[in-house]
Amino acid sequence: MTHVVTENCINCKHTDCVEVCPVDCFHEGPNFLVIDPVECIDCTLCVDECPVGAIYAEDDVPAGQEPFIAINAELAPTWPVIDKRIPAMPDAAKWDGVPDKLALLIRQAVVPEPENT
């Protein structure tokens, strides 16, 4: 079984969950995080770390959030791995709990900034 990031992460993108993941299965999009179902080891550490309650075990995804199982699986291979905590989106608190955010999901991959060497 895997864990799934659901709708409440859209426009919030807290990364507390990323810090505790032992296998780096989180991937970052412009306004959302996803979990790679192939890499997830079902350790459950991320669930309690999510400050907006957006992560569920696949079998426990709330009614109406089932499309996010496929969304996580679809986007994880196309988005870069995130393995370090970054600041949440600027208006994250405003978006916490707002329903029907799926239309706001930006699917284009994040292009990483080149590192200064």
Side-chain angles (χ1 to χ4, degrees):
M1 183 174 39
T2 187
H3 280 73
V4 178
V5 181
T6 58
E7 183 174 51
N8 205 38
C9 182
I10 297 173
N11 285 349
C12 291
K13 201 167 85 168
H14 293 278
T15 55
D16 306 58
C17 52
V18 169
E19 274 193 323
V20 299
C21 181
V23 294
D24 299 335
C25 68
F26 282 88
H27 293 254
E28 179 187 15
N31 68 339
F32 188 59
L33 299 174
V34 295
I35 293 174
D36 184 337
V38 175
E39 296 296 323
C40 180
I41 60 170
D42 195 31
C43 69
T44 74
L45 294 173
C46 59
V47 175
D48 289 335
E49 291 300 316
C50 180
V52 296
I55 303 174
Y56 295 88
E58 183 177 15
D59 291 343
D60 296 330
V61 170
Q65 297 293 299
E66 298 90 345
F68 285 91
I69 297 169
I71 289 168
N72 278 246
E74 170 197 340
L75 296 176
T78 66
W79 286 355
V81 170
I82 179 170
D83 60 2
K84 291 181 177 56
R85 188 176 185 184
I86 60 171
M89 298 190 75
D91 293 337
K94 176 181 115 178
W95 288 102
D96 181 14
V98 173
D100 303 320
K101 296 191 289 185
L102 180 55
L104 303 174
L105 176 61
I106 301 170
R107 292 174 177 262
Q108 292 88 358
V110 172
V111 178
E113 293 289 325
E115 292 186 31
N116 293 331
T117 56

